[in-house]
Amino acid sequence: MAVYSPLKSSVVLRLNTGTGDDGKMIVRSVTMSRIRPAVDATSLKSATDALGALFDYPVLAVEKVGTDSVEAA
């Protein structure tokens, strides 16, 4: 049997930075690394809500990105 072993984790905030000349929304990403892989969703949501309030632009989405290795158990 194999198991996942977390290597690294980050969170990406997608920001709405306005509208382009073509009328389409411009989305920019802000990535924060070194997030604990085991952080629960409620804690991460609270932290990203607090951080999102510091930006000049509204946060459209928050994504947690993780990288795991596969190891034999």
Side-chain angles (χ1 to χ4, degrees):
M1 180 169 136
V3 295
Y4 288 116
S5 179
L7 294 176
K8 62 183 178 176
S9 187
S10 61
V11 65
V12 179
L13 286 83
R14 306 278 181 205
L15 307 176
N16 175 359
T17 59
T19 308
D21 295 334
D22 58 1
K24 293 184 180 178
M25 182 183 346
I26 300 170
V27 177
R28 299 284 185 237
S29 299
V30 175
T31 302
M32 294 176 221
S33 57
R34 300 185 63 153
I35 305 297
R36 285 186 307 133
V39 67
D40 64 279
T42 303
S43 297
L44 185 62
K45 175 79 169 118
S46 295
T48 56
D49 285 348
L51 290 169
L54 301 175
F55 291 108
D56 291 334
Y57 304 105
V59 177
L60 296 174
V62 176
E63 302 168 2
K64 182 176 179 263
V65 180
T67 303
D68 301 328
S69 65
V70 178
E71 301 173 353

